[in-house]
Amino acid sequence: MTPAPSATPVEGSGGLLLNIDGKIVPNYAATMVSFEEGDVVKGKVVRIDKDEVLVDIGYKAEGVIPSNELSIRKSVDPHEEVELGEEIDALVLTKEDSEGRLILSKKRARFEKAWRKIEVAADSGEPVEGSVIEVVKGGLILDLGVRGFLPASLVDIRRVHNLEEFTGQTLECKVIELNRSRNNVVLSRRAVLEEERKEVREQILGRLEPGQVVEGKISNIVDFGAFVDLDGIDGLIHISELSWSHVNHPSEVVSIGDDVRIKVLDIDRDRQRISLGLKQTQEDPWQRVISTHRSGDVLEGTVTKVVAFGAFVEILPGVEGLVHISELADHHVENPSEVVEPGSKLNVKILEIDEERRRLSLSIKRVEGQNMAMAGLGEQIAQAEGTQDEGTEVEAEVDPPTGQMADAFANATPAAEAPAEEVPAEEAPAAEEPEAPSEEAPGDLPTEVEASEEADPAPVAEENGTTEEDPGEHQEGESVQDRPDSPDDVDETSGEDSSDDDAQTGESDQS
């Protein structure tokens, strides 16, 4: 049996040439790369097609990278990912598939390399860089070689309203969560920004003092106030410190991006918090009230709010006073809305100025010549008049003298029922002459009817809602004798005896 020829490497050839029985031949085996599936190898791009890339890694055949294995991005163009002649890293997926091809993956080789880098960065706290490739619900996707998720709340120190503006940007973030089994990487750009600005914040806090007036820009608006960027640190203007007047929402006073002059009210250096005031840089209208007005002054104001115990009236921009319910009108007021309503302009009188508590007591009813629209009162009067009209209808066919008397009754103010016992009969004056009925003496109707042949008084009494048993009503606090429409010679007591006495007196005079 012939022994195999001995082959020895040629010195200086690096093992690429062999000396076999005195002949120098190429060592083809030395040019073959030795690798296993899962290994990362280097290769040169030799061809780019629309759906795959061919890479020479020094194997007996070129490796194939399918387009979906080029990048973690979706639907990429191979020409955008690699160039001819470019040297790249690729991970061996299959040494020989069903068609005998060597299948490689560029994105998985990059993933393995990037994951090791990310693990080191997560342990050391160092930031990693990645470009924004996608905007998803709740945040951004960064290409780190691995798909990293950056939540919207961690994109910036302040809340970002439009995430689209970050598309394509390269961001530096810290790794805050890492899970290899799920290939999950969570990032925070805010942590990087806060660390960068920590030194700046300390410098700003060191030079700020309460009472200083500084300039800043409105960076955010919330329900309870507005945040101001002070060149690296945010301070808060509470809603109560925005204006001397009442503010329902901070957006009524400031807008995001506004440049403002504010006063430093307080600094919490341990918590790195700054309290600011905007109204302190503006004129205090209360000082104008103290210096220019005194108790007893009458001013024009606008009703700003109506409450159960009164109404607030603004007499100067930012200065409101209270008109207590007892100072709204001369009559009794159940609800302030009966008298005033928000937005109405009226005159008020200053009753008291409390400088210490910054409070004003005002009055409406004490202003002379005040023309007030008594809301609700007119409706009550109309209802009362409607009740009166139901009992005082007068027929149109009444004779002229009787009709005049009926008109006098209809125009009279209705009075409350008066018991017959309250006015003794002897105090009522007797009728002196049986003359024709007088327009001013409707109370003598029963007596004078017998002396007059021209009028039939009975139906007149019914038409005016007045009978001998019903002397009529009088207003509260007003006696019947004091009424301007009641004659002095009328007996207001009820009963037949009084009428009979008057009638007898008339008969005796006639005789």
Side-chain angles (χ1 to χ4, degrees):
M1 189 173 180
T2 304
S6 61
T8 58
V10 177
E11 263 184 56
S13 66
L16 297 179
L17 298 175
L18 296 176
N19 186 349
I20 302 176
D21 295 335
K23 292 182 179 182
I24 305 299
V25 298
N27 185 7
Y28 294 105
T31 62
M32 297 286 293
V33 178
S34 178
F35 56 83
E36 299 294 335
E37 291 183 358
D39 291 347
V40 175
V41 296
K42 287 186 177 295
K44 183 179 291 186
V45 176
V46 296
R47 182 176 173 180
I48 302 175
D49 294 331
K50 65 178 182 180
D51 57 352
E52 65 182 16
V53 173
L54 298 184
V55 180
D56 179 11
I57 65 169
Y59 195 52
K60 60 183 179 180
E62 287 87 0
V64 178
I65 303 178
S67 60
N68 61 348
E69 292 293 336
L70 282 171
S71 173
I72 62 174
R73 303 170 188 259
K74 299 176 181 178
S75 303
V76 297
D77 182 358
H79 291 85
E80 296 179 356
E81 290 295 320
V82 294
E83 296 178 358
L84 281 174
E86 180 183 357
E87 190 173 85
I88 62 173
D89 291 330
L91 183 139
V92 179
L93 296 179
T94 306
K95 293 184 71 173
E96 191 173 339
D97 66 355
S98 59
E99 298 179 3
R101 300 182 305 170
L102 171 65
I103 306 299
L104 306 175
S105 173
K106 177 177 179 288
K107 75 175 184 181
R108 300 195 190 193
R110 187 164 177 255
F111 178 91
E112 292 296 331
K113 185 176 180 180
W115 191 269
R116 289 193 291 269
K117 181 180 178 182
I118 291 170
E119 286 180 329
V120 172
D123 293 338
S124 63
E126 293 294 322
V128 293
E129 282 189 354
S131 59
V132 179
I133 60 174
E134 195 175 342
V135 177
V136 295
K137 183 179 180 180
L140 304 172
I141 298 298
L142 273 66
D143 181 4
L144 307 171
V146 179
R147 287 174 67 89
F149 176 63
L150 175 58
S153 60
L154 300 178
V155 172
D156 205 336
I157 293 177
R158 294 180 293 274
R159 182 174 180 81
V160 177
H161 299 283
N162 183 18
L163 294 176
E164 295 289 345
E165 63 186 25
F166 289 93
T167 303
Q169 293 187 23
T170 299
L171 305 180
E172 195 173 46
C173 308
K174 280 194 173 184
V175 180
I176 59 175
E177 186 177 334
L178 195 62
N179 189 327
R180 179 60 191 264
S181 62
R182 297 171 57 190
N183 292 335
N184 187 31
V185 180
V186 181
L187 307 170
S188 172
R189 178 171 176 259
R190 180 175 179 174
V192 175
L193 296 177
E194 286 181 344
E195 188 170 313
E196 290 177 351
R197 300 177 75 175
K198 183 178 180 181
E199 184 177 346
V200 177
R201 287 199 304 268
E202 290 177 352
Q203 292 176 356
I204 295 174
L205 288 172
R207 69 170 183 262
L208 287 180
E209 294 293 338
Q212 278 185 302
V213 176
V214 295
E215 293 185 356
K217 181 174 289 188
I218 302 296
S219 59
N220 195 18
I221 295 177
V222 292
D223 291 340
F224 55 84
F227 287 96
V228 181
D229 184 4
L230 302 175
D231 296 329
I233 188 171
D234 280 355
L236 173 66
I237 307 175
H238 192 266
I239 188 171
S240 62
E241 304 296 341
L242 283 169
S243 174
W244 292 109
S245 58
H246 176 71
V247 178
N248 293 315
H249 193 272
S251 59
E252 299 175 1
V253 182
V254 294
S255 301
I256 294 178
D258 288 353
D259 292 322
V260 291
R261 290 183 71 250
I262 59 272
K263 187 174 184 178
V264 180
L265 303 181
D266 188 31
I267 300 176
D268 187 340
R269 302 186 188 279
D270 295 333
R271 303 171 67 186
Q272 293 190 344
R273 292 188 177 180
I274 305 173
S275 298
L276 305 172
L278 178 62
K279 70 180 183 182
Q280 285 77 8
T281 61
Q282 304 166 353
E283 180 187 6
D284 184 356
W286 182 255
Q287 296 299 324
R288 193 167 14 138
V289 172
I290 296 174
S291 60
T292 60
H293 297 291
R294 297 290 181 268
S295 297
D297 289 355
V298 176
L299 305 171
E300 184 183 38
T302 303
V303 178
T304 58
K305 189 176 182 182
V306 178
V307 293
F309 52 85
F312 288 95
V313 178
E314 185 179 54
I315 61 171
L316 290 174
V319 178
E320 293 180 350
L322 172 65
V323 180
H324 192 265
I325 189 171
S326 61
E327 295 293 335
L328 286 172
D330 291 328
H331 64 278
H332 175 69
V333 178
E334 286 289 342
N335 191 331
S337 59
E338 299 173 2
V339 181
V340 294
E341 61 181 7
S344 59
K345 294 184 179 296
L346 41 76
N347 293 328
V348 292
K349 189 173 188 177
I350 299 177
L351 300 181
E352 181 184 359
I353 301 177
D354 189 339
E355 296 184 20
E356 183 177 349
R357 301 171 68 189
R358 299 171 68 94
R359 292 186 179 180
L360 280 175
S361 296
L362 307 174
S363 174
I364 294 176
K365 74 178 185 180
R366 303 193 192 192
V367 178
E368 296 181 2
Q370 181 87 270
N371 186 16
M372 293 292 296
M374 302 300 183
L377 184 59
E379 184 180 349
Q380 297 175 11
I381 296 175
Q383 292 176 353
E385 289 178 349
T387 305
Q388 173 188 354
D389 291 342
E390 293 178 359
T392 57
E393 294 181 357
V394 182
E395 294 183 3
E397 298 82 17
V398 182
D399 292 337
T402 310
Q404 294 174 359
M405 295 168 59
D407 290 340
F409 267 115
N411 294 326
T413 304
E417 292 186 1
E421 297 77 21
E422 292 184 2
V423 182
E426 52 270 25
E427 294 183 5
E432 296 179 359
E433 296 180 5
E435 297 178 357
S438 172
E439 295 180 8
E440 298 180 355
D444 285 346
L445 183 61
T447 303
E448 296 176 352
V449 164
E450 297 181 8
S452 175
E453 297 178 357
E454 296 179 1
D456 184 4
V460 176
E462 291 181 0
E463 288 169 347
N464 288 277
T466 307
T467 62
E468 292 181 340
E469 289 78 17
D470 183 8
E473 297 178 349
H474 63 83
Q475 294 181 348
E476 182 179 355
E478 178 185 14
S479 64
V480 176
Q481 290 81 357
D482 292 338
R483 283 170 46 199
D485 56 349
S486 298
D488 296 335
D489 59 345
V490 177
D491 181 8
E492 294 295 332
T493 58
S494 62
E496 297 180 356
D497 294 341
S498 176
S499 298
D500 292 342
D501 292 342
D502 292 341
Q504 291 173 4
T505 302
E507 290 175 1
S508 61
D509 291 340
Q510 290 177 355
S511 60

